[in-house]
Amino acid sequence: MKVRNKKMILKEKNIKLLIIVQSLNFLILNMGNVFISIFLINTSNDVMGALLYNLFIAIMILAGFFIIGPLGEKYKKSGIIFSNILNCILYILILFLGEKSSGLVWILGSISGLAQGFYWLSNNILTIDLINNDNRKSYNSIVGVINSILGMVGPIISATIISMFVGIKGYLVLFAAILTIMVSAMVLTFFIKDPPSGREKFSIKKTYMNLDLRKFNIIMKITWKSLFRDGAVAFLINILIYDVTRSEMLLGWFTAVMTLITVITYWIAGKVKSRVEKIYVISVYIQIASVLILTMYFKNIYFIILYLILYGVACPLNALSYGVMVQNSIAEADPEGEYRCELSCIKEVWIGVGRISAIAIIVALYYFVSDFSLLWIFGVLSSVTSWMSIKDAKRLMEH
């Protein structure tokens, strides 16, 4: 049954186009966002610019969801198209500013955040509308494997391009290449057909009034607790690796090795028949251990490697199980699809709260000591919230 589902997914033109567009956007994210942070560090000789860049991204992702929300309910792919336009503006601006980019991190971060908010709203709605309960786990497994491979290839390509040139010229060549890929993704998006829906006017209030969201609300609590950890660690690990090695190439290879582990884990996870809640609990225990190791021994390259191995195993287990839980809860609460745009926005509020609070704490810790010596505080806080999310996941098993 699972093999047949995967074949059906790949034969469906609309879903195939969606997967291609998702993959191109994921490749762009992995090739660009990591190295924009490193580019800002190199042009300013200060980590704070990169931290603030990521903080503005987190804030504006949340704003992007509510800006595009009313339009996204009717024209589901509009967010992806506007996202690509904004990303084109972002990279054109970086190419134009060059070394002066570090002085405008709030503008760059805001544009990037809006673009990501627009993209993820459209992506979430299209995914829920096009994928059903029978093929949801297979779809997430396929996308997870593809994205993991791209996550492995992207940073190596970027690092190779950067290392071929002296100074910041390699970065500018890289950003120009990303701009080309982005235009291709935008063109393909126009060929995705919006699935029909009977949605009324965008309204968060009506969503709470008309739907039974008890299960969804439990998952939202899990969401902010998970993003308190993942929303910060996702970009912080790249800064820490670069801070220790001072090599873009080593950063690319470290990322590739972790992603290779992720690919293997995604493949295995797609075959596991256990309840997704159980898979999620196991993944969080591993993530707690990995984050504690990272934040307490961040200056030791061997502990960073240990973190990469543990997180490479835990991340796909977590992403696959969490994704299925969210999609199932939305499909169950809103089977007709009338409020999926609103539910996606509500989810992003919880994601935003977790991500923004985590990054703000890291920025504050770095501000007071001008290094990462207090990072262990974040490690402890994120481990506590992660442990609380395990309790929430166990509650879901009772439903």
Side-chain angles (χ1 to χ4, degrees), residues 243-244 294 296-302 304 371-373:
D243 191 52
V244 172
L294 174 68
M296 291 184 179
Y297 303 98
F298 65 90
K299 289 186 178 180
N300 188 311
I301 193 64
Y302 297 106
I304 289 179
D371 61 33
F372 291 111
S373 58

Side-chain angles (χ1 to χ4, degrees), residues 210-227:
N210 297 337
L211 300 181
D212 180 1
L213 298 178
R214 284 175 293 181
K215 187 174 180 179
F216 177 78
N217 286 335
I218 294 174
I219 296 177
M220 291 306 97
K221 292 178 182 179
I222 291 175
T223 298
W224 87 260
K225 292 164 188 171
S226 297
L227 264 295

Side-chain angles (χ1 to χ4, degrees), residues 22-248:
Q22 287 173 330
S23 300
L24 287 175
N25 278 279
F26 192 81
L27 176 61
I28 290 165
L29 189 66
N30 275 274
M31 287 181 66
N33 213 38
V34 170
F35 289 97
I36 287 179
S37 294
I38 305 304
F39 175 73
L40 293 173
I41 293 173
N42 282 333
T43 53
S44 65
N45 294 316
D46 186 10
V47 173
M48 183 59 78
L51 294 178
L52 291 175
Y53 169 75
N54 283 278
L55 178 59
F56 280 110
I57 287 178
I59 294 170
M60 296 309 293
I61 285 176
L62 186 55
F65 261 75
F66 286 92
I67 292 171
I68 202 67
L71 182 63
E73 65 179 325
K74 186 175 182 180
Y75 304 104
K76 305 176 189 70
K77 65 185 179 184
S78 61
I80 297 178
I81 294 170
F82 284 124
S83 170
N84 289 135
I85 292 172
L86 283 172
N87 272 319
C88 286
I89 294 172
L90 170 68
Y91 283 99
I92 290 172
L93 193 58
I94 293 174
L95 288 169
F96 176 76
L97 291 172
E99 294 186 4
K100 297 179 182 178
S101 298
S102 56
L104 294 172
V105 290
W106 66 276
I107 293 179
L108 301 178
S110 297
I111 294 173
S112 181
L114 279 176
Q116 291 184 46
F118 289 177
Y119 171 78
W120 286 113
L121 176 66
S122 286
N123 178 75
N124 291 346
I125 295 174
L126 282 171
T127 299
I128 293 171
D129 282 354
L130 293 174
I131 308 301
N132 55 51
N133 289 332
D134 294 330
N135 58 23
R136 186 162 288 126
K137 191 173 182 181
S138 296
Y139 164 82
N140 279 285
S141 179
I142 291 172
V143 171
V145 170
I146 292 174
N147 287 350
S148 295
I149 293 172
L150 294 176
M152 178 173 58
V153 173
I156 292 178
I157 294 174
S158 297
T160 302
I161 292 173
I162 292 170
S163 64
M164 290 171 64
F165 300 89
V166 179
I168 67 165
K169 188 175 180 181
Y171 285 95
L172 300 181
V173 173
L174 168 65
F175 297 150
I178 292 171
L179 189 60
T180 304
I181 299 172
M182 202 170 298
V183 173
S184 302
M186 183 167 59
V187 172
L188 287 174
T189 305
F190 283 101
F191 293 95
I192 299 176
K193 293 182 179 180
D194 277 339
S197 67
R199 293 191 179 98
E200 298 180 0
K201 188 176 179 180
F202 183 87
S203 174
I204 298 292
K205 183 178 179 181
K206 284 186 177 181
T207 305
Y208 278 101
M209 290 175 59
N210 297 337
L211 300 181
D212 180 1
L213 298 178
R214 284 175 293 181
K215 187 174 180 179
F216 177 78
N217 286 335
I218 294 174
I219 296 177
M220 291 306 97
K221 292 178 182 179
I222 291 175
T223 298
W224 87 260
K225 292 164 188 171
S226 297
L227 264 295
F228 184 84
R229 175 195 63 236
D230 295 343
V233 172
F235 81 89
L236 183 63
I237 180 61
N238 297 307
I239 292 177
L240 292 178
I241 291 175
Y242 184 75
D243 191 52
V244 172
T245 64
R246 287 290 161 178
S247 169
E248 290 90 353

Side-chain angles (χ1 to χ4, degrees), residues 156 241 245 247 249-259 301 304-305 308:
I156 292 178
I241 291 175
T245 64
S247 169
M249 186 59 73
L250 281 176
L251 173 58
W253 278 106
F254 275 127
T255 305
V257 170
M258 186 179 74
T259 310
I301 193 64
I304 289 179
I305 293 172
L308 292 173

Side-chain angles (χ1 to χ4, degrees), residues 13 42 51 54 121 333 336 348 351 368:
K13 182 179 178 181
N42 282 333
L51 294 178
N54 283 278
L121 176 66
E336 301 301 321
E348 283 305 308
I351 288 176
F368 285 113

